[in-house]
């Protein structure tokens, strides 16, 4: 990783530090202001997580009356002592464990469960965490995924698990890094299993899903710039050690300001939920704005731009697109520049490129770069990106130009007219879900072909019962039966049918529930058909903005406004909690009314956006024009 710092004064850290943004680890030490309190939604999510964990623990203790259950109200030392004693006595299952601090590795940790592993020597254990989210998913498009290795709560051990090839185990990086943290702690105390690094997750499916933490699941850049597959243990070791260094330097900075902190703010997906977002946001918004504010520009891409002295959106927008297209096409421009600078301007470009590089020569000629003089008209700053591995350089330039331009949205290069697949009968679909499952399938039926085959309007398939697998599957069955009959009724007359979603979340849930209900064949056939249209992809292929193409951002361009206050997925989580906890009739329940209106507005918005794309969007300027 490079130079390590003295981390002996860093307080032992929990596994969360390896999962969180490294800037947050630094700011937790520097504390540049008053941290933001967790949002109401975050508080609710944590409360639901605790409640779910309590349900799982209750189920486990009924199934395992001999389990050692450690009271979380005890002192840290008492919990640690009881854990150590239970492990020494080879307890089969330890609930609420606290492992002894790893002073050398600077780790502390409290796995939800410890399950005993076979051992002919000292007692050995594996860690299992309880997570209030789904752990299983259908392999996308029927393609093989990470085959789920599962066991039931009655015997939550790796040895009792079997491969369930019908399901894929979700690869949640945070979950696996947390398990890797516990594995390192078990190793430090000599209590890890001797047959590899494994950890388990119990999700809302109430099954233990086991993960091989040594499996090379994650592709990350190597020293050569190429991607290399690395294991969860390798990723964890790097991320945890990196943050220990960050914390050590930040602590030194508090006593000596000449020691510079290692990190600067970068916009990533977890920023809105971070207590330091107000601080970082003000830094990132300075000037024309940091390049990480652009959609799709994460830390890796940001670091490449930084290495080329491009840190703000204005500098990125100023790069040359022609040069960038050559870079993205694999042309190694610096040696071509060097050769061009040593000859006359009329020298053919074929004299500047090695004979074996015929593809690069063809790309130069296709771009109209046929002489040394034309080579030297390219932008050397942009050419410096050659070999950087940033294949989306042209996209980033256009995003920066769209962000700084006067129009709210632009047509992509080469898009003369915006096209949207339409049908005689159209159905907009939007599902609403929580961690436990999908509780609402909302639909908006319209008849633009004036077929008279259907009644237009909004219809919701919804359940306000406490979510369970049976409830969710019954609801899906009702929706799918209605949907299938509608589609067949339309297409049997020769009329065309189109159903629309916005983003691929519906596909994920359709596949998962199709697999659970035995309808996966029908679901896959539908998803693969031309009748199912992801409007988000249609938009993304043809339009570009500097702030993303989410429905809430684009629908107002079509003149659409939501009826509910603060529409969004975060608030809907709060409303759902209120909706299921209240016993009033649906029509008297404000939370249920809000959710139904919010969902109805979402499908109405996709229809409005589709009509706008078919008409006014054609007048948008082309980006960079």
């Amino acid at each position: 990783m490079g130079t390590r710092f003295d981390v002996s004064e860093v307080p032992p850290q929990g596994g969360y530090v390896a999962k969180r943004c490294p800037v947050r680890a630094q700011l937790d030490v520097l504390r540049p202001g008053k941290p933001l309190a967790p949002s109401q939604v975050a508080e609710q999510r944590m409360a639901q997580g605790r409640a779910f964990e309590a349900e799982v623990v209750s189920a486990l203790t009924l199934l395992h009356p001999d389990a050692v259950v450690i009271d979380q109200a005890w002192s840290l030392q008492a919990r640690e002592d009881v854990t150590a004693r239970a492990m020494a006595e080879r307890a089969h299952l330890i609930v609420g464990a606290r492992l002894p601090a790893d002073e050398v590795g600077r780790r502390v940790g409290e796995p939800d469960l410890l399950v005993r592993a076979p051992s002919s020597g000292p007692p050995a254990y594996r860690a299992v965490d309880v997570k209030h989210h789904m752990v299983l998913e259908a392999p996308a498009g029927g393609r093989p995924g990470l085959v789920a290795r599962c066991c039931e709560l009655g015997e939550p051990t790796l040895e009792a698990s079997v491969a369930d090839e019908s399901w894929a185990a979700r690869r949640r990086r945070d979950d696996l890094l947390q398990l890797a943290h516990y594995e390192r702690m078990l190793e430090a105390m000599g209590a890890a299993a001797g047959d590899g690094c494994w950890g388990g997750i119990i999700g809302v499916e109430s099954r233990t899903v086991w993960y091989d933490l040594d499996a090379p699941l994650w592709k990350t850049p190597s020293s050569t710039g190429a991607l290399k597959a690395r294991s969860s243990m390798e990723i964890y070791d790097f991320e945890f050690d990196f943050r220990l260094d960050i914390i050590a330097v930040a602590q030194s900075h508090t006593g000596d300001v000449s020691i510079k902190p290692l990190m600067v703010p970068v916009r990533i997906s977890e920023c809105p939920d971070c207590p330091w977002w107000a601080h970082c946001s003000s830094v990132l918004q300075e000037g024309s704005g940091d390049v990480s504010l652009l959609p799709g520009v994460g830390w890796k891409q940001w670091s490449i731009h930084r290495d080329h002295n491009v840190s703000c959106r204005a500098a990125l927008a100023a790069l040359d697109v022609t040069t960038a297209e050559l870079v993205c096409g694999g042309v190694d421009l610096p040696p071509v520049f060097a050769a061009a600078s040593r000859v006359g301007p009329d020298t053919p470009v074929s004299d500047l490129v090695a004979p074996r590089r015929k593809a690069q020569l063809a790309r130069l000629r296709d771009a109209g770069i046929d002489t040394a003089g034309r080579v030297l008209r390219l932008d050397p700053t942009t050419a410096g990106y050659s070999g950087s591995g940033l294949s989306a350089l042209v996209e980033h330039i256009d995003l920066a130009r769209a962000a700084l331009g006067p129009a709210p949205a632009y047509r992509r290069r080469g898009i003369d007219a915006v096209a949207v697949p339409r049908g005689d009968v159209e159905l907009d679909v939007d599902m609403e879900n929580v961690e436990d499952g999908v509780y609402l399938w909302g639909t908006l039926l319209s008849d633009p072909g004036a077929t008279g085959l259907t009644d237009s309007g909004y219809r919701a398939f919804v359940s306000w019962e406490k979510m369970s697998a049976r409830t969710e599957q019954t609801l899906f069955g009702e929706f799918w039966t209605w949907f299938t009959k509608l589609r067949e009724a339309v297409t049997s007359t020769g009329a065309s049918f189109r159903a629309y979603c916005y983003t691929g979340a519906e596909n994920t849930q359709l596949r998962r529930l199709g697999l659970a209900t035995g309808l996966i064949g029908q679901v896959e056939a539908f998803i693969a058909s031309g009748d199912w249209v992801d409007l988000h992809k249609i938009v993304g292929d043809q339009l570009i903005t500097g702030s993303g193409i989410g429905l809430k951002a684009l629908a107002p361009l079509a003149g659409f406004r939501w009826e509910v206050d603060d529409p969004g997925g975060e608030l809907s989580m709060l409303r759902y909690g209120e909706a299921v906890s209240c016993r009033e009739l649906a029509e008297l329940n404000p939370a249920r009314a809000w959710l139904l209106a919010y969902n109805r507005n979402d499908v109405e918005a996709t229809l409005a956006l589709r009509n706008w794309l078919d008409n006014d969007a054609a007048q948008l300027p082309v980006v960079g024009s």
Side-chain angles (χ1 to χ4, degrees):
M1 187 182 72
T3 303
R4 287 302 309 275
F5 298 87
D6 181 8
V7 300
S8 60
E9 297 301 317
V10 173
Q13 301 290 310
Y16 60 84
V17 75
K19 305 183 293 184
R20 287 179 177 171
C21 168
V23 179
R24 179 172 179 176
Q26 177 173 283
L27 296 179
D28 283 343
V29 176
L30 300 181
R31 306 191 72 79
K34 184 177 180 181
L36 298 173
S39 68
Q40 193 175 359
V41 173
E43 292 279 14
Q44 183 188 73
R45 188 180 297 119
M46 289 186 285
Q48 290 172 338
R50 290 190 294 269
F52 175 70
E53 183 178 337
E55 290 178 8
V56 173
V57 167
S58 177
L60 284 167
T61 53
L62 286 173
L63 291 167
H64 303 275
D66 59 339
V68 175
V69 180
I70 298 174
D71 193 332
Q72 300 303 295
W74 295 346
S75 70
L76 297 181
Q77 189 60 56
R79 287 153 55 194
E80 187 176 312
D81 291 344
V82 174
T83 300
R85 185 163 60 251
M87 294 174 74
E89 294 173 354
R90 297 179 181 270
H92 173 67
L93 179 65
I94 305 171
V95 180
R98 180 175 176 84
L99 299 174
D102 175 8
E103 296 293 346
V104 175
R106 314 309 294 163
R107 298 179 180 91
V108 292
E110 299 181 349
D112 294 331
L113 307 174
L114 287 174
V115 295
R116 195 181 69 214
S119 173
S120 58
Y125 284 84
R126 298 188 181 96
V128 175
D129 252 9
V130 179
K131 297 294 184 181
H132 186 223
H133 57 65
M134 293 177 183
V135 189
L136 301 174
E137 62 185 2
R143 297 188 300 273
L146 179 61
V147 174
R149 185 166 177 171
C150 308
C151 59
E152 304 305 319
L153 297 186
E155 187 55 51
T157 65
L158 177 64
E159 289 69 33
S161 65
V162 295
D164 186 344
E165 296 186 358
S166 60
W167 291 100
R170 296 182 70 183
R171 303 184 191 192
R172 294 183 69 116
R173 189 173 183 267
D174 286 3
D175 288 356
L176 272 59
L177 294 191
Q178 185 70 58
L179 292 173
H181 180 81
Y182 298 141
E183 182 69 15
R184 288 291 183 239
M185 295 195 71
L186 288 167
E187 290 173 351
M189 62 184 297
D195 56 349
C197 300
W198 289 82
I201 298 292
I202 299 175
V204 298
E205 299 91 346
S206 294
R207 302 172 76 186
T208 306
V209 178
W210 288 95
Y211 291 87
D212 180 357
L213 303 177
D214 289 323
L217 300 181
W218 313 103
K219 290 185 177 180
T220 61
S222 66
S223 57
T224 65
L227 292 179
K228 178 181 178 180
R230 290 186 168 87
S231 70
S232 300
M233 298 304 300
E234 291 175 299
I235 297 294
Y236 165 78
D237 287 339
F238 173 84
E239 299 292 356
F240 189 80
D241 289 348
F242 180 37
R243 282 156 184 76
L244 291 184
D245 289 342
I246 290 168
I247 295 169
V249 174
Q251 289 179 166
S252 298
H253 173 79
T254 60
D256 181 355
V257 294
S258 68
I259 299 174
K260 299 301 182 185
L262 296 180
M263 304 302 297
V264 296
V266 180
R267 175 69 159 84
I268 60 174
S269 60
E270 71 183 75
C271 284
D273 293 325
C274 177
W276 305 113
W277 175 229
H279 165 76
C280 290
S281 178
S282 65
V283 174
L284 293 171
Q285 293 288 350
E286 291 176 357
S288 66
D290 188 83
V291 296
S292 66
L293 294 174
L294 297 171
V297 179
W299 188 90
K300 176 186 174 183
Q301 296 81 13
W302 171 88
S303 64
I304 294 174
H305 289 305
R306 177 200 58 187
D307 292 344
H308 291 81
N309 296 314
V310 174
S311 59
C312 68
R313 292 183 292 189
L316 182 54
L319 296 180
D320 179 60
V321 168
T322 299
T323 309
E325 289 173 338
L326 291 169
V327 169
C328 294
V331 180
D332 186 12
L333 285 174
V336 182
F337 262 95
S341 67
R342 296 191 294 265
V343 297
D346 295 329
T347 303
V349 72
S350 57
D351 292 352
L352 311 177
V353 179
R356 68 180 184 278
R357 297 192 166 180
K358 295 179 181 180
Q360 293 196 28
L361 179 59
R363 289 191 178 96
L364 286 164
R365 286 173 170 167
D366 288 346
I369 312 301
D370 54 2
T371 64
R374 290 186 180 275
V375 168
L376 295 176
R377 292 177 194 172
L378 295 171
D379 177 42
T381 301
T382 310
Y385 280 84
S386 295
S388 67
L390 186 62
S391 60
L393 181 58
V394 175
E395 173 81 359
H396 289 185
I397 294 170
D398 284 348
L399 284 168
R401 292 180 178 183
L404 301 177
Y410 293 83
R411 282 180 288 137
R412 288 186 175 275
R413 298 175 185 277
I415 301 298
D416 297 323
V418 179
V420 184
R422 302 301 298 256
D424 295 322
V425 174
E426 297 182 343
L427 185 74
D428 292 274
V429 180
D430 181 60
M431 64 87 196
E432 306 291 345
N433 70 300
V434 288
E435 296 289 3
D436 302 285
V438 179
Y439 66 90
L440 169 60
W441 292 91
T443 66
L444 180 67
L445 188 59
S446 52
D447 188 19
T451 66
L453 295 171
T454 63
D455 294 325
S456 299
Y458 174 74
R459 177 169 181 173
F461 297 83
V462 62
S463 173
W464 305 118
E465 297 179 19
K466 179 176 173 56
M467 185 57 63
S468 67
R470 182 175 181 179
T471 299
E472 184 189 32
Q473 291 168 22
T474 299
L475 181 66
F476 173 72
E478 293 173 359
F479 160 70
W480 188 257
T481 298
W482 173 84
F483 170 80
T484 302
K485 289 181 178 178
L486 169 68
R487 184 183 177 207
E488 290 175 349
V490 172
T491 57
S492 65
T493 68
S496 61
F497 175 85
R498 291 283 188 279
Y500 302 87
C501 63
Y502 204 85
T503 78
E506 277 73 20
N507 284 352
T508 298
Q509 300 295 353
L510 283 171
R511 287 190 168 110
R512 181 180 63 82
L513 288 165
L515 186 57
T517 57
L519 297 168
I520 188 62
Q522 295 181 31
V523 168
E524 290 292 0
F526 167 65
I527 290 175
S529 75
D531 291 354
W532 185 229
V533 180
D534 182 352
L535 198 59
H536 182 269
K537 186 178 187 306
I538 295 293
V539 171
D541 288 345
Q542 300 179 89
L543 303 184
I544 189 170
T545 79
S547 57
I549 55 170
L551 185 62
K552 303 301 186 297
L554 284 192
L557 300 183
F560 187 83
R561 296 291 183 272
W562 272 257
E563 298 172 14
V564 299
D565 296 331
D566 300 322
E570 289 286 283
L571 186 55
S572 71
M573 296 286 187
L574 288 176
R575 292 286 183 262
Y576 177 75
E578 298 167 5
V580 296
S581 62
C582 183
R583 298 304 177 194
E584 295 177 2
L585 295 174
E587 59 268 22
L588 300 178
N589 186 318
R592 295 179 186 181
W594 189 97
L595 287 166
L596 289 170
Y598 167 63
N599 180 262
R600 173 173 53 79
N601 284 170
D602 274 358
V603 286
E604 290 171 341
T606 56
L607 174 58
L609 183 59
R610 188 160 65 252
N611 290 334
W612 176 77
L613 290 169
D614 252 355
N615 296 285
D616 297 344
Q619 308 305 315
L620 293 172
V622 175
V623 66
S625 60

